[in-house]
Amino acid sequence: MSMWRPCAEVERCVGKGAAGEGRSCGETSCSRAGSGVVCGREESGVVGLILSITQIKLDGLSLFVLMAIEIVQPSVGLSKMAVSETHGEDSPYFAGWKAYDENPYHETCNPTGVIQMGLAENQVSFDLLEEYLEANLEATNWGQKVSGFRENALFQDYHGLLSFRKAMASFMEEVRGGKAKFDPERVVLTAGATAANELLTFILADPGDALLVPTPYYPGFDRDLRWRTGVQIVPIHCERSNNFQITPEALEAAYDHARSMNIKVRGVLITNPSNPLGATIQRKVLEEILDFVTRKNIHLVTDEIYSGSAFYADEFVSIAEVLESRNYKDSERCHIVYSLSKDLGLPGFRVGTIYSYNDQVVTTARRMSSFTLISSQTQFLLASMLSDKEFTQKYIKINRERLRKRYEMIINGLKKVGIECLKGNAGLFCWMNLSPYLKEPTIKGELEMWKTIMHEVRLNISPGSSCHCSEPGWFRVCFANMSEETLEVALSRIHEFIKTRKQ
Amino acid sequence: MEVALNNNTHKLLSKIAINDGHGENSPYFDGWKAYDTNPYHPRNNPSGVIQMGLAENQLCFDLIEEWIKNHPEASICSPQGGFDFKEIALFQDYHGLPEFRGAIANFMSRVRGSRVKFDPSRIVMSGGATGAHETVAFCLANRGEAFLVPTPYYPGFDRDLKWRTGIELIPVVCESTNNFKVTLGALEEAYDKARESNIKVKGLLITNPSNPLGTFFDKDTLKTLVRFINEKNIHLVCDEIYAGTVTNGNEFVSIAEILEEFPTICNHNLIHIVYSLSKDMGFPGFRVGIIYSYNDTVVNIARKMSSFGLVSTQTQHMVASMLSDNDFVDHFICESKIRLAHRHEMFIGELAEVGIGSLESNAGLFFWMDLRRFLKEPTFESEMTFWRIIINEIKLNVSPGSSFHCEEPGWFRVCFANMDDETVMVAVERIKSFVLERRMLEIKTKAMAKNKKQCWQNNLQLKLSSRRLEDIMSPHSPLNSPMLRAQN
């Protein structure tokens, strides 16, 4: 027999027929508590019953009363990691997904549903991928005779398929318009950028150490950089007054702040182009950051996952270009993270890479990649696709154009009702400023606005506070994971909403 | 001011990055290097090293290839399957494709003769069993805490369970005197030893069927283990990665069956299974690792951690299609067992002819070869020396027992399912000729020694002149050791 205690999730449960805060909703598949867990209930361990017989004297009569005493064993121990909340899923970033999951928009079946604008997916260029596959069946599949299957299925070398590594290096060069060279021997493969960022953190920092990360940043970093590694994030505060650019002063301030707390700083991690800002980092700023990490003798990790999503090829400067211009002096402290999840729109395939200019990091990362290798089946498929330069050049060019067009569409649509966005030039989202509309200029005000947008306007967008933005009122709005028609619907809903707000 | 980075680079990396936790500095890898630099090929390099140190299952690819040819819709790249391409490519939900989870649960059940069912909602993905073990360790234990592991065990555990987690592994010593069975006494001893060293034990990890032994646990031993962990309130992690390689039909008992048959034997929250398609199907490249836990919290947390090692949806899609085809699955499982049994019997039969024995086993992709009497001395130095002879002279890469933390020297793991029949015969011939050559060498040397030192003859255990040739060839003759030169 088990004794039940309310699970920690109850307070935040917003399940179906939600009983509300503090009460169990009784859902058996509450996605807050997790699949299979009954919300509001938690097994506390095996309970035994002891029957005891007690003699009671009552008015001269002896009564023997049978009493049942429950004995509770302590609940079985899990690690501290397992019971902490550093997985980060209680952030509002993820809560908005719930609202969408329960009531997803569909143009015909559910036109009043929630439109998902919190998911940075790239769906604008699938036709190009599908066209390629149709024309290259033998190369991408195992062919009619399935002759390559066995070798492919058996291949588990953590170096990865040479043809695939070469293809990745080549693709990364194409994305940078040939302005930087990549050596396939330095390409380490991981199952997604999620794994790449965690793996690098394990290699570059010890538990308790810190990485400096400019705000606002991708909420997933709280999990990827900190959860299992025990490493901390110390924010580099960026402000709207200079369009959230990273300044040397902000870098120094963050470093000093960490030192004042007796925390050892091991590196700086930047995302370029930035998520959630949707803007590339200027060359001058990259140079300053590089000088800073050199002075402090720490690492620089640059997540260039959106490099192929810069609207104008010449506006994106990769750290690789800066290093090349310095003849790779001091490049051993630099490491690039990349993935095909955004530029190619293939998040399901789990294709991430670490490109490090440090031999020891390459060797160690490769060994660690055993925990997170890319399926050889997927390596095989993409090796041929990404080494086809005619295809990749065409894809990169058209993808940029389509993203730019989407961006202009949403920016102009928002402008029409007086909503400003940060000037962006990359990514799958825009950084929208709703601070004039907040009831109060605080995080509370921002979250209130966010809930309103979710429940009344029925759009799932991401509040800036979930990205650790230092100023309330900013929201990340994704635009590449839907059709143009759906984007129009979203814009018209915003128009309506702003009109009522202004009244 | 710039620091000379080259000299200080190692200080710039974490402790995890610069320690030996990756396990690759083990002498165990010398065998691989010997193979890599001189790999056997029937035509191009017939005198190269034959790889017998890699537990791969290559016996049934013909069945799989045929299935793939007949099911183009299983591939999202084909015209038949391409319709799903976009949806599959975009799907990154860490719950995994529902059809994938269903197919895995179905396959796991059929591998166990459908004696037990698995709940798809408890299936959690990971980056191979390698990723699964590390994830389970992260969920169950804190840095500095420990898992008990029966010896001998798969060397990869030292990396998978300890490297980034900071967890300790404490051996539960198993001995050849009772066929390396795990005894309650050994468990208690290991547990107590940990307590004395102030190390908190969080769980027991078993591999069933065992790598490297190739044996599986009988029901009584499993029940003993379950009662032990329940009493100590520690976790039981069962790596059942070789469940489908059992050649003895219905005698294999999965931990899932124990829980079903004896539901009150323990707190189910303590039981977790690790699985993968790398061995049963021969798909190590596809990185299909599975955690199956009876503990809801562990399922939940492991699922969140699976973000670090999800299975490619392209692969999920193909596997889902293949493993929900019950006709194929049943035929595959059956045929695989037959071929593995045949291969195993072929090997040990041939080796028995020259007096080489092995632990009796009915599972795995390898057998546990007994070369104890070939060692000059019953020490690990002798084992390593003899192993180098096997690699350099016999040109076979087999794995020495010391790399599996075996407490007794002289045992070697020999893989048999990663080569074709012709290569098997070449390997067998090499072993046989080596053994026979050594015996002839011994006879010759002994004869010479006898001529030189007549007065010593009385001290010899064997009087050569009175021995018939067959006796000299007997497995019990001490002259069989190649390590022995005429020294007495």
Side-chain angles (χ1 to χ4, degrees), chain A residues 86-156:
Chain A
T86 326
H87 50 71
E89 283 192 22
D90 302 322
S91 148
Y93 179 71
F94 294 99
W97 294 48
K98 270 228 77 184
Y100 167 76
D101 281 340
E102 283 155 12
N103 184 20
Y105 170 83
H106 188 276
E107 52 208 20
T108 40
C109 308
N110 190 16
T112 56
V114 175
I115 297 180
Q116 173 65 285
M117 304 189 87
L119 186 50
E121 265 178 7
N122 181 0
Q123 295 192 23
V124 307
S125 304
F126 264 109
D127 56 318
L128 300 175
L129 296 173
E130 284 159 352
E131 197 183 287
Y132 176 86
L133 290 176
E134 267 168 61
N136 293 277
L137 211 51
E138 279 293 316
T140 56
N141 208 14
W142 295 295
Q144 294 285 354
K145 292 185 190 144
V146 198
S147 56
F149 178 84
R150 181 189 144 119
E151 200 186 317
N152 191 223
L154 287 171
F155 187 86
Q156 57 173 328

Side-chain angles (χ1 to χ4, degrees), chain A residues 88-272:
Chain A
E89 283 192 22
D90 302 322
S91 148
Y93 179 71
F94 294 99
W97 294 48
K98 270 228 77 184
Y100 167 76
D101 281 340
E102 283 155 12
N103 184 20
Y105 170 83
H106 188 276
E107 52 208 20
T108 40
C109 308
N110 190 16
T112 56
V114 175
I115 297 180
Q116 173 65 285
M117 304 189 87
L119 186 50
E121 265 178 7
N122 181 0
Q123 295 192 23
V124 307
S125 304
F126 264 109
D127 56 318
L128 300 175
L129 296 173
E130 284 159 352
E131 197 183 287
Y132 176 86
L133 290 176
E134 267 168 61
N136 293 277
L137 211 51
E138 279 293 316
T140 56
N141 208 14
W142 295 295
Q144 294 285 354
K145 292 185 190 144
V146 198
S147 56
F149 178 84
R150 181 189 144 119
E151 200 186 317
N152 191 223
L154 287 171
F155 187 86
Q156 57 173 328
D157 181 348
Y158 61 33
H159 288 82
L161 280 177
L162 180 58
S163 56
F164 179 59
R165 263 190 294 129
K166 283 184 173 166
M168 277 302 291
S170 160
F171 186 68
M172 286 170 76
E173 286 176 1
E174 293 291 320
V175 164
R176 289 153 188 73
K179 286 180 280 175
K181 285 248 154 292
F182 289 94
D183 175 4
E185 293 305 309
R186 295 194 171 284
V187 172
V188 177
L189 304 173
T190 62
T194 299
N197 281 314
E198 188 198 45
L199 203 151
L200 267 180
T201 306
F202 268 120
I203 290 177
L204 305 180
D206 292 304
D209 291 344
L211 292 178
L212 306 182
V213 185
T215 65
Y217 62 78
Y218 162 56
F221 282 159
D222 287 327
R223 169 197 61 196
D224 300 348
L225 307 180
R226 302 183 322 158
W227 190 16
R228 307 192 306 180
T229 60
V231 170
Q232 310 187 57
I233 294 178
V234 171
I236 300 166
H237 292 292
C238 299
E239 294 161 5
R240 66 177 289 188
S241 50
N242 71 338
N243 293 321
F244 296 99
Q245 286 186 91
I246 303 160
T247 64
E249 294 74 32
L251 286 164
E252 292 283 354
Y255 187 91
D256 292 341
H257 181 60
R259 298 305 292 134
S260 74
M261 296 191 287
N262 255 325
I263 298 172
K264 193 167 177 204
V265 175
R266 298 308 282 270
V268 170
L269 188 145
I270 60 176
T271 307
N272 178 29

Side-chain angles (χ1 to χ4, degrees), chain A residues 268-336:
Chain A
V268 170
L269 188 145
I270 60 176
T271 307
N272 178 29
S274 161
N275 174 10
L277 300 177
T280 56
I281 298 182
Q282 291 178 22
R283 188 184 189 110
K284 168 174 163 289
V285 177
L286 286 177
E287 304 260 13
E288 283 166 356
I289 296 172
L290 200 45
D291 291 337
F292 172 79
V293 299
T294 306
R295 260 195 330 274
K296 303 294 188 196
N297 196 20
I298 58 180
H299 293 276
L300 175 61
V301 177
T302 311
D303 186 340
E304 297 192 345
I305 195 174
Y306 292 100
S307 45
S309 307
F311 308 149
Y312 300 94
D314 54 6
E315 286 187 1
F316 169 66
V317 177
S318 166
I319 195 73
E321 296 172 53
V322 179
L323 291 174
E324 203 162 296
S325 70
R326 294 181 175 201
N327 271 323
Y328 298 106
K329 186 157 179 277
D330 282 319
S331 59
E332 280 170 13
R333 61 179 79 257
C334 297
H335 325 278
I336 300 175

